[in-house]
């Protein structure tokens, strides 16, 4: 592309393996870094780092582009850089934000020598299961009415699987279990799932199980109860020392060992199918039922358990919790609770080396035989400890422990906001990707925030805001962390994406659960799935999203999977888009480039050395034809673009349609609330 002007649209680079070689450089290793520019269009290209400008050399040319490269030797620290492109009296900088008129180090590319994430997790299709609401495989292990008391009331066994969750849902149990998950592995495998992310499954009194009672054992209600017995509480009785049925089920070692044995078989079956499992690790706090605290006094009667810190000042677990000076034993309820909740006692790591060693042992235990779990999702990970310094110290120890037990184990953290301080190669691998996926995509496609609490319809279909927000948030990630970031549309803490498509603000307490089903737009949901399966990261489906499940935020987002009432077209849409995603490395680990932004219509590309994809999404609007610059994907006039999937008012289709490439452009028809996935193919002669 000769001429006097500098073609900014031709400039491109990224952290992907086409532009940084080798893929995962070690400390002190020589690395090749590349930048693409228009062919015969520039005078010089420089790599700019903290030491100044380094001139790059033309390495090779192909089609419409020149590739400049430079060899740099990594040190032991994070290496940051961007590019300066010069032509005549024109000069631009190129970084994670794109082309800029001036240097801005906030958007530098970065390489972290020695930082590797599990290769199996790069772009992996994950499926999140809230176990109690997925499928009941064994009713004999169900929680029974009044089995025990939780937060002042008896627990309840829900008889109607399709009942909406109660406003205070925490003590209602639907009966889903790991046997149910095992029975549905054929379904999940047919859907295309590669990784199961399970919400907590350790012994716990709540249905969500984020209040761990025993880290050493899987909850028998989810697995097998070998030695049942005892009685539930009487209607008038809420004293859990009398809850003999519950005590028998979850304190009896025979049941606990049988549960762990079942879980080992479960893991064996999952691995036999080539799938993997990530467990939920809740290590910031435990639960008031926990055997270390034993506030409910359900362990003290058993001779095999040591006294809990709540009942005895001399308990070996006293240092595990922070007791306040005004507290007195026995029955010392004056302890630090997470966000003030006495049912969620915060773990006191700084004052207990024994606790730290115990939790690190737990982290290792479930990764090793006979369980061989494949990774951890870390609940409220940035909250752990009482100081930022200790928090980072602990996660460094955690990473060393986990990676020594299983080198390719995945470490994902729950985090809102900038997580770069933890994504330095020494702590987490990545995060649940709220800021650089769920939130900006929700605003663009629905105009509603991830909780359905805020409406900003000025953001719906606003391509400028979408690209600006998602680019800024993605720039805080190293490429390795982006490749394995958990990209969800919904999960157990936020409203269902399908509900957000109705454009309404609401919660089950104020609007009622039925309102979450009203006015939803399945076409927009399918467009969201198109983006989820073609964006950079690991697409993660929250159970039931693929079947059309609705719901406001917690607890309404935890409805039972709608067996026999599924939206089959939405399932087919998920299944086909997952198949496409898994079939091409370009959609798993390839570069991401923005192609077009026409207000409520955006387009982007994914590409590598082998394949090139163009994805278009339009919100609202009428029928129109859009001209797309696929030359920026290195698609030339001797190729076609073929339609692989399309969504819109006529539903989902994978019908192939051929588009001619003329002068580097294609013309594509787009309708209201539509999305299309196109792939380049060679033109036959």
């Amino acid at each position: 592309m000769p001429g006097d002007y500098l073609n900014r649209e031709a400039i491109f680079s990224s952290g992907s393996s086409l532009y940084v070689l080798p893929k995962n450089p070690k400390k002190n290793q020589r690395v090749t870094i590349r930048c693409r520019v228009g062919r015969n269009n520039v005078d010089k290209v420089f790599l700019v780092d903290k030491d100044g400008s380094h001139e790059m050399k033309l390495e090779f040319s192909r089609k419409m582009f020149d590739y400049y490269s430079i060899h740099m030797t990594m040190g032991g620290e994070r290496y940051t850089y961007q590019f300066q492109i010069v032509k005549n009296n024109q000069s631009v900088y190129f970084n994670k934000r794109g082309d800029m008129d001036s240097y801005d180090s906030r958007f530098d590319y970065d390489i972290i020598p020695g930082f590797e994430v599990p290769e199996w997790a790069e772009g992996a299709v994950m499926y999140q299961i809230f176990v109690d609401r997925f499928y009941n495989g064994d009713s004999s292990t169900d929680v029974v009415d009044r089995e025990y008391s939780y937060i002042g009331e008896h627990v309840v066994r829900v008889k109607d699987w399709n009942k909406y969750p109660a406003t205070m849902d925490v003590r209602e149990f639907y009966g889903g279990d790991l046997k149910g998950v095992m029975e549905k592995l054929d379904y999940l495998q047919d859907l295309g799932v590669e990784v199961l992310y399970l919400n907590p499954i350790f012994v716990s009194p709540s249905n969500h199980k984020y209040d761990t009672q025993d880290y050493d054992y899987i909850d028998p209600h989810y697995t097998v109860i070998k030695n049942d017995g005892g009685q539930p509480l009487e209607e008038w009785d809420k004293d859990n020392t009398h809850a003999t049925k519950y005590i028998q089920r979850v304190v009896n070692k025979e049941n606990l060992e049988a549960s762990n044995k079942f879980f080992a078989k479960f893991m064996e079956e999952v691995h036999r199918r080539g799938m993997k499992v990530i467990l939920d690790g809740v290590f910031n706090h435990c639960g008031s039922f926990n055997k270390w605290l034993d506030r409910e006094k359900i362990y003290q009667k058993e001779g095999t358990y040591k006294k809990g810190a709540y009942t005895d000042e001399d308990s070996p677990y006293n240092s595990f919790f922070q007791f306040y000076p005004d507290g007195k034993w026995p029955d010392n309820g004056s302890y630090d609770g997470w966000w003030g909740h006495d049912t969620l006692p915060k773990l006191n790591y700084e004052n207990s080396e024994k606790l730290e060693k115990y939790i690190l042992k737990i982290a290792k235990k479930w990764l090793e035989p006979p369980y061989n779990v494949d990774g951890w999702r870390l609940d409220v990970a940035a909250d752990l400890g009482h100081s930022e310094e200790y928090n980072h110290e602990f996660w460094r120890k955690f990473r060393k422990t986990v990676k020594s037990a299983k080198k390719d184990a995945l470490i994902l953290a729950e985090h809102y906001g900038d997580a770069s301080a933890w994504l330095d190669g020494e702590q987490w691998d990545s995060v649940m990707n709220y800021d650089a996926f769920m939130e900006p995509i929700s605003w663009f496609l629905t105009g509603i925030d991830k909780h359905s609490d805020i409406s900003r319809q000025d953001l719906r279909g606003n391509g400028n805001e979408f690209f600006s927000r998602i680019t800024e948030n993605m720039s805080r990630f190293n490429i390795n962390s982006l490749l394995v970031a958990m990209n969800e549309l919904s999960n157990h803490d936020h409203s269902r994406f399908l509900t957000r498509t109705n454009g309404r603000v609401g919660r089950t307490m104020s609007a009622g659960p039925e309102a979450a089903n009203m006015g939803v737009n399945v076409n927009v949901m399918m467009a969201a799935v198109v983006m989820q399966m073609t964006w950079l990261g690991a697409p993660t489906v929250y159970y039931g999203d693929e079947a059309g499940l609705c719901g406001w935020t917690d607890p309404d987002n935890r409805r039972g999977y709608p067996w026999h009432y599924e939206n089959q077209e939405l399932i087919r849409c998920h299944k086909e888009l997952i198949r496409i995603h898994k079939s091409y490395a370009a959609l798993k680990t390839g570069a991401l480039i923005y192609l077009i932004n026409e207000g409520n219509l955006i387009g982007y590309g994914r590409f590598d050395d082998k394949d090139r994809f163009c994805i278009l999404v339009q919100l609202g609007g009428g029928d129109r034809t859009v001209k797309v610059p696929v030359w920026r994907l290195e698609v030339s006039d001797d190729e076609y673009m073929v339609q692989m999937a399309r969504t819109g008012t006529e539903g989902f289709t994978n019908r192939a349609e051929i588009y001619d490439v003329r002068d580097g452009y294609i013309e594509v028809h787009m309708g209201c609330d539509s999305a299309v996935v196109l792939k380049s193919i060679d033109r036959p002669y």
Side-chain angles (χ1 to χ4, degrees), residues 64-94:
M64 299 160 281
F65 301 97
D66 289 333
Y67 281 80
Y68 281 75
S69 69
I70 191 170
H71 304 297
M72 305 296 289
T73 299
M74 296 296 100
E77 304 298 322
R78 180 196 297 259
Y79 176 69
T80 61
Y81 64 95
Q82 57 184 274
F83 304 99
Q84 183 183 17
I85 297 91
V86 178
K87 181 178 177 63
N88 297 333
N89 61 347
Q90 304 169 72
S91 175
V92 300
Y93 290 89
F94 194 87

Side-chain angles (χ1 to χ4, degrees), residues 41-60:
N41 184 242
V42 306
D43 295 331
K44 291 184 178 182
V45 179
F46 297 92
L47 179 144
V48 183
D49 62 16
K50 64 181 180 61
D51 296 322
S53 297
H54 311 271
E55 187 171 354
M56 304 175 71
K57 302 298 182 183
L58 177 62
E59 181 183 2
F60 62 88

Side-chain angles (χ1 to χ4, degrees), residues 148-149 154 233 236-244 296-297:
Y148 54 99
S149 178
H154 294 135
L233 293 170
W236 51 266
D237 190 1
K238 296 177 183 176
D239 182 349
N240 282 325
T241 62
H242 303 151
T244 55
E296 302 300 312
K297 302 179 183 178

Side-chain angles (χ1 to χ4, degrees), residues 454-473:
I454 303 170
S455 175
R456 285 284 306 277
Q457 291 306 303
D458 59 307
L459 296 180
R460 184 179 187 272
N462 189 326
N464 289 330
E465 282 289 334
F466 169 74
F467 279 133
S468 177
R469 289 184 182 213
I470 204 163
T471 301
E472 182 167 353
N473 289 320

Side-chain angles (χ1 to χ4, degrees), residues 111-173:
I111 298 172
I112 304 177
F115 181 25
E116 292 187 50
V117 297
E119 189 172 357
W120 61 261
E122 295 177 348
V125 178
M126 303 186 184
Y127 191 90
Q128 179 185 350
I129 299 178
F130 191 89
V131 178
D132 183 61
R133 307 296 161 84
F134 185 61
Y135 188 69
N136 190 337
D138 184 356
S139 59
S140 71
T141 65
D142 291 356
V143 171
V144 302
D145 288 342
R146 304 193 314 277
E147 186 172 321
Y148 54 99
S149 178
Y150 185 71
I151 314 183
E153 298 293 338
H154 294 135
V155 294
V156 176
R157 166 72 174 97
V158 174
K159 309 302 188 295
D160 178 6
W161 180 263
N162 296 309
K163 170 188 172 295
Y164 293 127
T167 302
M168 181 57 174
D169 174 66
V170 67
R171 61 177 76 89
E172 293 196 346
F173 294 84

Side-chain angles (χ1 to χ4, degrees), residues 24 178 237 308 316 495 537 624:
N24 293 305
L178 288 179
D237 190 1
S495 60
R624 67 163 138 174

Side-chain angles (χ1 to χ4, degrees), residues 430-443:
S430 195
V431 294
M432 303 180 78
N433 199 5
Y434 295 125
D435 287 39
F437 185 79
M438 183 190 284
E439 192 80 274
I441 282 184
S442 184
W443 285 124

Side-chain angles (χ1 to χ4, degrees), residues 171-235:
R171 61 177 76 89
E172 293 196 346
F173 294 84
Y174 284 53
D177 49 39
L178 288 179
K179 285 189 175 181
V181 176
M182 185 176 284
E183 284 189 29
K184 294 299 182 180
L185 287 178
D186 284 346
Y187 163 72
L188 295 172
Q189 197 166 19
D190 184 60
L191 189 64
V193 172
E194 298 172 290
V195 184
L196 302 180
Y197 156 42
L198 304 176
N199 283 113
I201 59 173
F202 300 120
V203 179
S204 160
S206 67
N207 55 35
H208 58 68
K209 302 202 177 301
Y210 282 97
D211 48 354
T212 310
Q213 183 172 324
D214 192 336
Y215 292 97
D216 286 293
Y217 295 102
I218 307 299
D219 198 313
H221 295 98
Y222 280 178
T223 49
V224 59
I225 297 176
K226 191 173 182 180
N227 189 351
D228 210 350
Q231 297 296 323
L233 293 170
E234 298 290 342
E235 290 187 10

